[in-house]
Amino acid sequence: DIQMTQSPSSLSASVGDKVTISCRASQTIGSHLNWYHQRPGKAPKLLIYAASSVQTGVPSRFSGSGSGTDFTLTISSLQPEDFATYFCQQSSKTPYTFGQGTKLQIK
Amino acid sequence: QVQLVQSGAEVKKPGSSVKVSCEASGGTFGNYAISWLRQAPGQGLEWIGGIIPIFGTANNAQKFDGRVTIVADESAGIVSMDLSSLTSEDTALYYCATEPTNSPWQTFDSWGQGTLVTISS
């Protein structure tokens, strides 16, 4: 199975800050990388697919980059509703696998 | 986008089986595949397996071989997952999610509300 490793595991930031979350795959996955966030008590929500394509309806402050094994999610200016847990997911091969999550907290 | 509604919470004994269902609010899954995932308390997400309802073809992660059965009733707009030989490690929130089949990119783009399955003696 492809292992996905996110960093950091937690992050404190303020409204208006720019934040970056990293995700590394244990083998090359091309651009087959998705990002989700999950608010407490809610189901995950797709933000970014194919490493850098923003899902319809997702604000433009979210962006993704990378290919191969190293990927990045960037939030350009944090809003209160962005404080959540973020997951990366590889969609290159089954079983689809996820990173362990990055909890973004208010500073 | 298809909206998904899942069945209610379950409490099961070790060694037993559980069936969780997922219904398309519009009555059909259209061109979507449906996957099942789970999230143990305070943990990350794990893909269990999926099915393309219009074809009935299912697959699952090797970890669940022999324990999971995923079936679809396309005419009723319902997909069900049966998980057997339950242990405490199967205690989790189980989600169904849609996967578009008409895109070159695999995603889980719409999720059910989740079904809590608790294994307790």
Side-chain angles (χ1 to χ4, degrees), chain B residues 3 14 17 19 27 38-39 44 49 56 60-61 70-71 73 98 114:
Chain B
Q3 304 300 315
S17 299
K19 181 177 181 176
R38 71 181 186 182
Q39 187 170 36
N60 58 264
I70 299 172
V71 298
D73 182 344
T98 59

Side-chain angles (χ1 to χ4, degrees), chain A:
Chain A
D1 298 0
I2 299 174
Q3 306 303 314
M4 306 300 294
T5 304
Q6 287 181 234
S7 61
S9 56
S10 65
L11 177 59
S12 294
S14 301
V15 173
D17 283 354
K18 177 180 178 179
V19 299
T20 298
I21 299 169
S22 297
C23 178
R24 174 167 287 177
S26 61
Q27 60 186 262
T28 185
I29 57 172
S31 295
H32 294 271
L33 191 284
N34 305 323
W35 289 98
Y36 303 80
H37 74 183
Q38 185 178 33
R39 300 187 179 106
K42 300 294 186 181
K45 176 184 175 182
L46 176 66
L47 301 172
I48 303 285
Y49 66 95
S52 61
S53 296
V54 181
Q55 174 72 344
T56 302
V58 173
S60 58
R61 63 180 179 272
F62 291 92
S63 63
S65 64
S67 67
T69 60
D70 291 298
F71 302 87
T72 299
L73 173 72
T74 299
I75 311 172
S76 60
S77 177
L78 278 172
Q79 298 302 301
E81 60 269 29
D82 299 337
F83 292 94
T85 300
Y86 290 78
F87 296 96
C88 60
Q89 175 236 332
Q90 66 82 17
S91 57
S92 176
K93 295 179 183 178
T94 58
Y96 304 121
T97 48
F98 291 79
Q100 80 281 13
T102 295
K103 187 172 185 178
L104 179 53
Q105 302 175 92
I106 300 175
K107 185 182 289 184

Side-chain angles (χ1 to χ4, degrees), chain B residues 60-78:
Chain B
N60 58 264
Q62 188 173 14
K63 172 179 178 177
F64 298 98
D65 278 351
R67 282 216 299 147
V68 69
T69 303
I70 299 172
V71 298
D73 182 344
E74 171 59 13
S75 62
I78 296 175

Side-chain angles (χ1 to χ4, degrees), chain B residues 18-107:
Chain B
V18 68
K19 181 177 181 176
V20 185
S21 64
C22 175
E23 184 171 357
S25 61
T28 177
F29 294 105
N31 292 323
Y32 287 97
I34 300 297
S35 264
W36 288 95
L37 305 97
R38 71 181 186 182
Q39 187 170 36
Q43 302 300 309
L45 293 154
E46 181 176 33
W47 180 74
I48 299 170
I51 190 166
I52 304 177
I54 58 173
F55 298 129
T57 49
N59 66 337
N60 58 264
Q62 188 173 14
K63 172 179 178 177
F64 298 98
D65 278 351
R67 282 216 299 147
V68 69
T69 303
I70 299 172
V71 298
D73 182 344
E74 171 59 13
S75 62
I78 296 175
V79 168
S80 299
M81 179 196 66
D82 271 276
L83 188 63
S84 62
S85 303
L86 296 169
T87 72
S88 59
E89 295 187 352
D90 294 314
T91 293
L93 190 57
Y94 287 75
Y95 291 104
C96 59
T98 59
E99 296 179 61
T101 59
N102 57 357
S103 167
W105 302 101
Q106 186 278 340
T107 57

